[in-house]
Amino acid sequence: MTAPDSGEPAPRRWTESTVYTDMWIDPDDDPRETDAGGTDERGILLDYLRHYRLTVEMKCAGLDAEQLARRSVPPSTMSLLGLVRHMVEEERHLRRVMAGEDAPPLYRTDDDRDGDWNGATADPAVVEDAWRQWRAETALTDRFVAGVDDLGAWNAGASDLGADGADLQLRDALVAQIAEYARHCGHADLLRERIDGRVGQ
């Protein structure tokens, strides 16, 4: 098979699925699919958040530091490793706004507001740090959310929503976090397929 109009072989689509060739894992083996989905508002929101967090991990599975740090297309600095670091910052942001925690950015600075993406270099130590921080931050976010009984609880920290900031409820913050993960999981689909042909699911 050749790529249209190029004369070169088309990139191979990578899959382990034995059921659907356009998926990369059989549906019965997908760890995101469980029978434990929530039936109330809190359960549904947390299940979506769990789903998209797992998707980020699955999109990065089996890659080395160079592959994880591989940029998409110029001038973008987006990479899978940068995406993990970016979500570290987003997890901290949620708690900074909602819980009022002292959780300043880890990778972004005033001089480099895109430090989460720009600092995602092909170094195993950088990869290890990103995953360690991401797992720690997701656990801290989960602990905070579990300790708040009412999804209508208002932010305890300063909000940067809009030009002048705005109050928001925990349910709003969770929806925003889900949307952020979902948006970047779409980017991860393309980043991963470009690296080794592994397709979206």
Side-chain angles (χ1 to χ4, degrees), residues 65-117:
E66 185 280 323
Q67 291 170 314
L68 286 168
R70 194 177 298 174
R71 302 292 169 82
S72 54
V73 290
S76 174
T77 59
M78 186 173 286
S79 66
L80 287 169
L81 178 57
L83 193 157
V84 174
R85 288 162 52 97
H86 178 71
M87 295 316 301
V88 167
E89 299 288 27
E90 293 303 310
E91 296 281 353
R92 292 175 69 81
H93 176 261
L94 184 149
R95 296 195 320 280
R96 188 163 60 245
V97 171
M98 294 309 303
E101 290 185 14
D102 181 18
L106 290 180
Y107 305 121
R108 300 172 186 157
T109 66
D110 290 339
D111 293 332
D112 187 1
R113 291 169 51 87
D114 288 327
D116 40 1
W117 302 102

Side-chain angles (χ1 to χ4, degrees), residues 35-51:
D35 294 329
T39 56
D40 61 355
E41 182 184 16
R42 176 183 291 267
I44 289 168
L45 290 174
L46 294 181
D47 194 49
Y48 269 97
L49 185 57
R50 179 193 65 83
H51 180 99

Side-chain angles (χ1 to χ4, degrees), residues 4-83:
D5 303 323
S6 71
E8 297 181 5
R12 177 168 125 348
R13 299 192 87 193
W14 185 98
T15 180
E16 285 184 349
S17 177
T18 61
V19 180
Y20 303 107
T21 57
D22 62 341
M23 293 184 175
W24 42 267
I25 191 171
D26 286 333
D28 287 346
D29 297 328
D30 192 331
R32 297 168 300 182
E33 304 302 328
T34 70
D35 294 329
T39 56
D40 61 355
E41 182 184 16
R42 176 183 291 267
I44 289 168
L45 290 174
L46 294 181
D47 194 49
Y48 269 97
L49 185 57
R50 179 193 65 83
H51 180 99
Y52 285 121
R53 284 173 174 170
L54 268 172
T55 300
V56 168
E57 288 190 277
M58 294 168 75
K59 287 296 174 182
C60 296
L63 299 179
D64 61 25
E66 185 280 323
Q67 291 170 314
L68 286 168
R70 194 177 298 174
R71 302 292 169 82
S72 54
V73 290
S76 174
T77 59
M78 186 173 286
S79 66
L80 287 169
L81 178 57
L83 193 157

